Amino acid sequence: MRLSILSGLVAGLTAAHSIQERAASKTVLSHYMLGDITEEHAHKDIDDAIAMGLDGFVLNVGYPKLDWVSNTLSHLYGYADYLAGQGSKFRLALSLDLYATGAWCYDKSLGSDCGSPKEYKDILKSFLGRDSYFRYGPNNFPFITSFSTGNQTDKQFAAWKKDFANQMYFMPGIDDTPGFWESHPAWWDYWGDLIDGASAWESAWPQVHGTNEGDMSRDIKVMGPLQKKGKGYMIPISMLQYKNAIQYGANLYRRGEMNMVKRMQNILTMDPQPDIVQLLTWNDGPESHHFGNLWPEQNTDAQPNQYASPEGSDHTALQSLYSAFIHAWKNGGSMIPAFSKRDESLPQGALWHKSIFQDTTCPGGDSNVKYFQAPNGTDAGQDALHWALVVPANAAGWTVDVVSNGKSISSKVLETGLNYGTVEDGIEEGTQRLVIQNGNTIVAGTDRGRCLAQACHDGIYNFNPQVMPVKGDYDNTDCWQVEGEPFLDWAKGEVLGVSLGPRDASADPGHGHDHDSIYHNPFEEYINCDYSQKKAIRQSWLDIVTILKRMPPFDSDGLLETRNFGADMPDRKDDEAFIRNVFTNLKRLYLYPSERDKRNIRISCMKDIPRYNGDFNQTCGDLKLQNGKTQKIGGYAFDDATSSPGGTIVLCDIYFLPGQEHLAAVQEQLDRDKTLRKSSIDMNGKYRLLLHEMVHLPSISTGLIGSGKSRQYCE
């Protein structure tokens, strides 16, 4: 009996050791777009990546000689080094984005010598020796990869490697070279001695117009010859690809809503297995396949921000699926919820869908501006709801319902492991949701997401999916929708006038989703304002921001300035300084959270909040003018701040009446009747009234802190 027990124990230990060796030999990295981010955000990215089980980041570095590059790398490596000292195995590798560097050198006319791998010599020598630098291969050399070869020659790469005495494990993204996918003998003659392995990108997605999601044929074809010659292969996994921005020179959609799920499933059954898996990408929002954090300081380009804003394009719900894959790939077994009490956990996963339908018509779709057109590859798209769950053994037999606009349109009994589906029939506008039940008891569901709508709320054909996480305590309220009326800046190829993230879609303000901070809203409190009034005020501020973004540098002789401030504007130097200061302060309000935090500005929809003003208390009644006539007022403002700049703006009934339009309607009227452009004085508008009252606050006009007894003003 003792011998049997001992034999069983030895066998168990041997099996466990084998599993550990297998897990240790398999690496999962995530591609990471390096950007100018804060140290706090760099730390947060690393913490989140460790929590989901990643082994490290592949840091994509564009032109490496920009000042912020070394700063951000120091943020990341400094923290990763600290964690390494605490025993963490999380590592960082550098990827040379030779495509971006070549484009930068060309655009800046930096000469024909600019753009080679030698541009990266200084940062590589600065970071290759760090404790947290990722090392790989039989010699444990620093791992270096690239995005494309940048049309560089074998001799250029050989000279660059010589600068490092060839002490590297070089696995470039080399699938842009002729003969790679065919493993042509001439390709091997040219590149074979230079590389230790190869990384691929293009196999991550179907070709444009293609629908073969999850296809592995290209990977299998190229991986076999590489591994037979002792070279490694880094295989990609990604969701779809949608990019629409001038910096890409493309408006492109490559189908892949279920691509990530199917490639994970297929990689687990590959024989032989790839050496490294690279997840695309942690934070490349402009390509729409991100699953990590999008930080506002990094994502400032107007075109991609319209469809991949940090506020409205959260894909982090995909992390639970990737975590389950990582655990299964390293340890074997099914994809079940990772990093939790595995016997007690709920199913984890997400639901995702576009925010528009295939037959949605956007306002600039028939124009010659590529940004406004339907993307190349639209024909491969679907009107569908996609979902995936990783299910623990205790949840086998539970059911998941796909719900569209309150109606169940699909139901499935769950099994242990990976479950997924695509539903195309019965989809309606409105809220889309997953609901998970154990018998008749609802145990989990997806949070509220953006509404699926027939209308083109973004002003462009937005194919970036909305991704909603599954939670036990989920938000069961109605979907949200962006607000505002888009109008198109044809010259710049930008959409203006709409918000970029969640706002309450229903008229019920009790949902508790107040997203003022997302829209850089400077108002800390609304007094006695109902939902529709708050909606109008928020849109007015958004219109003001739109105007501020479009406003050129102040020109006292300019047509815009003389129309709005008087023909004698060039002679009023004191007024010019005042106006410049006002608009500088307004711009700072929407650009910098610290400026909003320093000002306590309240909005009141209560008609009468009397305040001391010498002779009388101002209210929303008629204003008696010096000539004896009376005038309705749209609002008034007073400075009642005592410890920080601020004040109160009271908006009267006239502000909310028809005729006081938002910017999009004013723009439409000006486009329709060009004679109105001669004078903006006759034009009404909620944004103009709000701007007028904001200017009356000393905290805006001068930045002063009030005494509590400042003058009152009226419109």
Side-chain angles (χ1 to χ4, degrees):
M1 179 65 71
R2 286 184 177 179
L3 182 60
S4 299
I5 293 174
L6 182 60
S7 299
L9 179 60
V10 170
L13 290 173
T14 302
H17 181 67
S18 176
I19 290 173
Q20 288 173 354
E21 282 189 337
R22 180 184 172 197
S25 66
K26 291 187 172 182
T27 301
V28 182
L29 305 172
S30 174
H31 183 268
Y32 182 101
M33 294 294 288
L34 197 73
D36 189 3
I37 62 172
T38 67
E39 186 172 14
E40 178 185 5
H41 287 162
H43 294 185
K44 173 65 172 169
D45 282 338
I46 290 176
D47 288 340
D48 289 353
I50 292 173
M52 65 171 284
L54 281 169
D55 294 306
F57 283 145
V58 174
L59 305 176
N60 185 97
V61 183
Y63 186 66
K65 297 179 181 179
L66 301 176
D67 291 341
W68 60 263
V69 171
S70 59
N71 291 336
T72 302
L73 287 174
S74 295
H75 295 335
L76 290 161
Y77 275 102
Y79 188 52
D81 283 351
Y82 165 77
L83 294 176
Q86 307 298 310
S88 170
K89 302 298 184 183
F90 188 83
R91 298 294 182 259
L92 303 171
L94 291 178
S95 175
L96 321 183
D97 191 336
L98 295 171
Y99 180 89
T101 292
W104 179 273
C105 293
Y106 177 82
D107 291 343
K108 302 299 180 182
S109 301
L110 299 181
S112 58
D113 292 338
C114 181
S116 78
K118 286 196 171 185
E119 302 293 332
Y120 294 85
K121 180 178 178 180
D122 289 342
I123 65 164
L124 286 170
K125 292 202 169 182
S126 296
F127 293 99
L128 288 184
R130 300 293 285 260
D131 291 343
S132 59
Y133 197 93
F134 177 54
R135 292 174 172 269
Y136 192 77
N139 298 309
N140 201 35
F141 282 156
F143 176 96
I144 300 174
T145 184
S146 70
F147 177 74
S148 92
T149 58
N151 293 321
Q152 302 297 304
T153 67
D154 58 342
K155 292 182 175 58
Q156 288 170 308
F157 278 107
W160 163 71
K161 290 184 68 178
K162 189 175 181 180
D163 286 339
F164 297 89
N166 292 311
Q167 301 289 296
M168 65 176 69
Y169 188 93
F170 187 43
M171 184 181 268
I174 202 167
D175 55 352
D176 61 334
T177 54
F180 170 77
W181 292 107
E182 298 78 21
S183 295
H184 195 280
W187 184 89
W188 278 102
D189 290 341
Y190 193 87
W191 293 106
D193 292 337
L194 278 171
I195 65 170
D196 300 292
S199 168
W201 276 68
E202 285 301 302
S203 60
W205 311 279
Q207 296 291 329
V208 180
H209 311 292
T211 60
N212 56 326
E213 295 171 279
D215 179 58
M216 309 297 294
S217 58
R218 300 183 81 189
D219 299 283
I220 293 170
K221 184 177 180 180
V222 77
M223 186 177 74
L226 282 165
Q227 291 183 336
K228 285 179 181 178
K229 293 180 181 291
K231 310 292 185 182
Y233 182 60
M234 184 157 66
I235 195 169
I237 301 178
S238 179
M239 211 182 198
L240 58 79
Q241 185 182 53
Y242 165 64
K243 54 184 178 182
N244 184 12
I246 192 171
Q247 55 263 52
Y248 291 113
N251 181 358
L252 179 71
Y253 165 72
R254 293 171 75 171
R255 177 165 155 173
E257 281 81 353
M258 295 305 294
N259 195 55
M260 175 194 83
V261 174
K262 292 180 178 180
R263 282 183 71 83
M264 288 192 299
Q265 186 179 47
N266 291 337
I267 287 173
L268 290 176
T269 60
M270 287 180 73
D271 186 18
Q273 291 272 292
D275 300 275
I276 300 175
V277 174
Q278 182 174 210
L279 309 183
L280 309 179
T281 61
W282 181 262
N283 59 346
D284 195 351
E287 295 230 2
S288 305
H289 43 59
H290 57 286
F291 61 92
N293 305 303
L294 298 182
W295 301 120
E297 67 269 25
Q298 182 176 356
N299 294 275
T300 58
D301 293 328
Q303 286 189 340
N305 210 40
Q306 187 65 20
Y307 62 86
S309 68
E311 299 88 356
S313 182
D314 186 348
H315 290 187
T316 55
L318 300 176
Q319 291 180 15
S320 62
L321 300 173
Y322 277 133
S323 290
F325 164 77
I326 292 169
H327 190 275
W329 193 57
K330 287 175 175 284
N331 300 285
S334 301
M335 284 178 58
I336 57 177
F339 310 105
S340 63
K341 293 182 179 179
R342 307 175 77 80
D343 294 334
E344 303 172 12
S345 59
L346 294 169
Q348 296 178 5
L351 169 76
W352 55 93
H353 60 81
K354 295 199 305 287
S355 57
I356 58 174
F357 287 88
Q358 283 291 106
D359 61 354
T360 292
T361 300
C362 290
D366 58 355
S367 74
N368 60 0
V369 180
K370 183 182 290 186
Y371 180 66
F372 299 133
Q373 298 168 0
N376 183 23
T378 295
D379 56 295
Q382 298 169 281
D383 290 330
L385 306 182
H386 311 273
W387 63 273
L389 297 170
V390 286
V391 179
N394 66 287
W398 294 3
T399 59
V400 59
D401 281 88
V402 181
V403 180
S404 180
N405 194 29
K407 303 170 186 175
S408 176
I409 59 173
S410 177
S411 184
K412 177 181 174 64
V413 177
L414 296 175
E415 302 174 353
T416 302
L418 177 64
N419 296 246
Y420 60 88
T422 293
V423 182
E424 298 182 79
D425 296 330
I427 298 173
E428 298 180 2
E429 288 187 287
T431 302
Q432 318 300 319
R433 174 166 283 122
L434 286 187
V435 176
I436 300 171
Q437 297 184 86
N438 179 6
N440 294 323
T441 303
I442 295 176
V443 294
T446 47
D447 270 350
R448 73 195 290 259
R450 182 175 176 179
C451 302
L452 177 60
Q454 191 69 52
C456 183
H457 289 279
D458 291 318
I460 59 171
Y461 292 89
N462 182 355
F463 274 55
N464 187 8
Q466 292 293 309
V467 184
M468 288 75 73
V470 169
K471 296 180 180 178
D473 182 17
Y474 66 98
D475 184 344
N476 193 31
T477 54
D478 292 335
C479 58
W480 61 268
Q481 188 56 273
V482 298
E483 293 190 0
E485 294 294 329
F487 64 89
L488 312 184
D489 185 330
W490 300 100
K492 291 185 178 180
E494 295 178 10
V495 179
L496 302 166
V498 295
S499 61
L500 297 176
R503 308 285 280 274
D504 283 330
S506 79
D508 178 9
H511 285 167
H513 295 280
D514 193 348
H515 296 276
D516 282 350
S517 61
I518 289 175
Y519 301 100
H520 316 300
N521 197 320
F523 310 124
E524 70 160 6
E525 182 183 2
Y526 297 93
I527 303 172
N528 205 41
C529 299
D530 63 27
Y531 177 78
S532 63
Q533 289 172 323
K534 287 198 289 185
K535 179 179 177 181
I537 295 164
R538 288 166 171 160
Q539 181 60 47
S540 299
W541 170 248
L542 195 62
D543 288 346
I544 292 171
V545 171
T546 297
I547 292 171
L548 293 172
K549 287 181 177 179
R550 292 169 61 91
M551 184 168 286
F554 190 91
D555 177 9
S556 59
D557 291 313
L559 182 61
L560 180 66
E561 289 76 7
T562 54
R563 278 183 185 171
N564 283 278
F565 304 114
D568 60 344
M569 189 67 244
D571 301 323
R572 293 157 48 203
K573 297 302 180 184
D574 291 342
D575 287 347
E576 178 181 337
F578 172 79
I579 293 167
R580 286 180 185 273
N581 187 62
V582 166
F583 283 101
T584 296
N585 286 338
L586 285 169
K587 285 184 178 181
R588 292 178 68 85
L589 264 186
Y590 82 80
L591 285 173
Y592 305 112
S594 60
E595 292 296 321
R596 298 191 292 278
D597 294 341
K598 289 192 299 186
R599 290 172 170 82
N600 299 316
I601 303 174
R602 292 161 297 284
I603 295 283
S604 174
C605 302
M606 188 181 298
K607 296 180 181 179
D608 302 320
I609 302 184
R611 286 292 184 272
Y612 178 78
N613 189 32
D615 297 331
F616 66 95
N617 289 330
Q618 180 64 55
T619 71
C620 275
D622 293 341
L623 176 67
K624 189 172 183 179
L625 304 178
Q626 291 182 348
N627 59 10
K629 296 182 179 180
T630 60
Q631 176 182 319
K632 297 285 186 183
I633 65 172
Y636 60 97
F638 50 84
D639 180 5
D640 58 351
T642 56
S643 60
S644 64
T648 298
I649 296 172
V650 181
L651 296 174
C652 304
D653 287 344
I654 193 172
Y655 173 87
F656 299 103
L657 292 176
Q660 300 292 349
E661 305 297 340
H662 290 301
L663 181 59
V666 173
Q667 177 78 21
E668 182 181 354
Q669 186 176 355
L670 288 170
D671 288 342
R672 188 171 57 249
D673 186 352
K674 295 183 179 180
T675 62
L676 294 173
R677 299 181 185 180
K678 294 180 179 179
S679 174
S680 62
I681 302 301
D682 296 329
M683 295 299 298
N684 294 318
K686 287 182 172 61
Y687 64 95
R688 293 189 63 190
L689 288 172
L690 181 60
L691 178 59
H692 181 97
E693 301 307 334
M694 292 184 75
V695 170
H696 283 319
L697 294 176
S699 63
I700 300 296
S701 57
T702 65
L704 296 177
I705 298 175
S707 64
K709 292 186 178 181
S710 293
R711 294 178 299 165
Q712 301 169 347
Y713 305 90
C714 60
E715 169 62 33

